[in-house]
Amino acid sequence: MALARNRAIDHQFLSFINREQLFSQTDCILLTVSGGLDSVVMAELFRTAGFRYGIAHVNFQLRGAESDEDEAFVRALAEQHGVRFHTTRLPAKQQAEEQGISTQMAARHLRYAWFEQLAEENGYASIATAHHQDDVLETILINLVRGTGLTGLRGIPIRQGRIIRPLWFADRETIGDYARETELVWREDSSNASDKYRRNRLRHQVIPILKEMNPSLLQTLQTTVARLQSADQLLEEEMRRSWEEIAENRPEGVFLSIQQLLNQREWAFRLSEWLKPYGFQYVQIDPLAEAVRGDGFGQKFQSATHQVLRDRDYLVVSELQSVANQEIILNEMPTGEVSVSDHFFLRFEIIESLNGFQIPPNPDVACLDADRISWPLTIRRWQTGDRFQPLGLKGKQSVGNFLTNQKVSLTDRRSAWVVVAGEAIAWLIGYRPDDRFRVTGQTRKILKIERRIVGQ
């Protein structure tokens, strides 16, 4: 009975991929394999399904010989599967010390940045990690302990940019049963047995009690997460609608009518969500709300990047001068990647041989007529009053209206950047090139600009 149940994971795996449309049969997927139980099962499911894939492994050298043995194991696994193998060694401990963050956080940033680079350079359509239902539950509990909103209660998403989680539907017990019944071999990470880490304490001490209270905990979790996701989407739509109703963009910043704000239900919560993309923490909202309710004229509140001024009739949100003026000027064609922010790089390339060249249908790639580009180029945040001619359209429109029409979230629209050639915006990065720089039949060479996002 157990054998039939756990063999069904193959069918569930394929059904989940099809239902969520994670990738197509022709796509080549980069599998992130540590050598542990979950990632080895993921690789086996990809192999038996006949999908195209490669395997990537990161050695952080944190456990001495054990880390090297993990690398050798995954290399041998890739050879057995007959697929490409990618490996690297990354200094997680050193970066953690330099940036004052945990080793786990540094390792996460480093490995996802490397995975993204591999995918770009080798044509992988997506990057697959082996997160499953137990991981989702652990992440929700960690977020709950730290303090979170609806988004944090959704746990680990099925898809996040280029990252996909094809084992999201399964639990650890089912994965383990499948591995044993198919006689798979995997590596055990000795650190998983230690209660030194918060996640392990939850896994070993808290979750067993929750499962005892509700044996169907992980099954009900999927329904709960789906409901929370729907609620979060509805909340996002309502937050966007009410923001657009009372927010007014002016050269000095964004003006929020205090009277209109007070007329909104749960206005303090709305304010906290609206200001989150500007770097404000939830704990800062109480004193700001008091200034709104009372006579707080002239009071200022700051995040790392922005300021909120309590004017007589408005709250005025503006960037701190150092951030508002941040821009990168390229006097000539760069030879390597250009780091634009903590979140992405730009890579520039001149395409001179146009025979057979196809413009990729990817919003993170802009192909521009190189002869129409005037240097220097300026890379900066978009500003109120910026206008451009979106590719395929005849007339100009404001960047703000374009992002609104594209239903871009509040967070993403405030962090959008542009590439400016001369006085004209050549590319609203990640969204649309300007039609005036489009590639035509008369184009002799192409300036290809590609955005690479760091760690999702």
Side-chain angles (χ1 to χ4, degrees), residues 43-305:
E44 177 65 11
L45 289 170
F46 267 80
R47 186 189 69 80
T48 57
F51 292 134
R52 299 173 61 232
Y53 62 97
I55 288 177
H57 175 82
V58 180
N59 184 347
F60 289 110
Q61 307 168 81
L62 296 174
R63 293 175 288 116
E66 189 177 343
S67 294
D68 295 337
E69 291 165 5
D70 288 347
E71 180 183 335
F73 172 83
V74 180
R75 183 187 299 275
L77 180 70
E79 291 175 356
Q80 292 169 14
H81 285 217
V83 299
R84 294 182 66 184
F85 177 64
H86 311 271
T87 188
T88 190
R89 298 190 172 197
L90 299 174
K93 190 172 183 180
Q94 177 183 340
Q95 179 157 319
E97 293 173 352
E98 292 175 353
Q99 298 185 0
I101 58 178
S102 69
T103 303
Q104 289 74 23
M105 183 177 294
R108 182 184 186 281
H109 291 167
L110 286 170
R111 69 174 176 267
Y112 277 108
W114 182 64
F115 294 151
E116 289 283 353
Q117 181 181 346
L118 276 182
E120 287 287 341
E121 294 176 351
N122 295 276
Y124 291 107
S126 297
I127 302 163
T129 69
H131 293 100
H132 49 73
Q133 281 295 294
D134 289 81
D135 295 318
V136 175
L137 176 58
E138 291 164 10
T139 299
I140 289 173
L141 292 175
I142 287 173
N143 290 341
L144 191 60
V145 170
R146 290 172 176 165
T148 187
L150 269 179
T151 302
L153 292 178
R154 289 168 50 187
I156 303 172
I158 296 170
R159 179 191 293 277
Q160 193 172 19
R162 201 196 298 261
I163 308 296
I164 59 174
R165 275 97 185 192
L167 293 189
W168 193 94
F169 68 94
D171 58 49
R172 184 176 286 115
E173 181 181 1
T174 300
I175 291 170
D177 288 345
Y178 175 85
R180 287 182 286 273
E181 289 163 7
T182 52
E183 299 182 342
L184 295 179
V185 179
W186 64 89
R187 297 275 298 170
E188 291 287 355
D189 186 338
S190 59
S191 65
N192 287 337
S194 170
D195 281 351
K196 172 184 176 182
Y197 303 107
R198 179 182 300 175
R199 184 177 290 271
N200 286 355
R201 292 200 298 275
L202 286 171
R203 181 181 301 170
H204 300 150
Q205 301 174 26
V206 177
I207 292 178
I209 297 175
L210 296 178
K211 288 184 177 179
E212 183 180 325
M213 296 171 64
N214 179 9
S216 301
L217 178 64
L218 293 179
Q219 286 71 41
T220 57
L221 176 68
Q222 294 192 34
T223 303
T224 300
V225 169
R227 294 172 67 183
L228 288 170
Q229 181 175 1
S230 297
D232 198 27
Q233 290 174 347
L234 288 173
L235 176 63
E236 172 67 26
E237 290 176 10
E238 170 59 19
M239 296 301 295
R240 182 189 301 117
R241 183 203 63 77
S242 55
W243 167 267
E244 293 172 354
E245 185 178 278
I246 75 168
E248 180 184 351
N249 287 312
R250 299 183 188 178
E252 301 88 350
V254 179
F255 283 63
L256 303 175
S257 165
I258 291 176
Q259 186 57 55
Q260 287 183 285
L261 175 63
L262 292 173
N263 288 339
Q264 300 284 332
R265 287 188 302 172
E266 302 295 341
W267 63 266
F269 172 77
R270 292 175 190 265
L271 188 60
S272 71
E273 291 296 301
W274 290 335
L275 295 182
K276 191 184 300 180
Y278 295 117
F280 288 88
Q281 302 297 315
Y282 190 79
V283 293
Q284 295 177 272
I285 298 305
D286 280 347
L288 180 52
E290 285 301 316
V292 171
R293 292 189 190 97
D295 185 15
F297 173 69
Q299 284 187 260
K300 294 180 181 179
F301 304 84
Q302 287 190 352
S303 70
T305 58

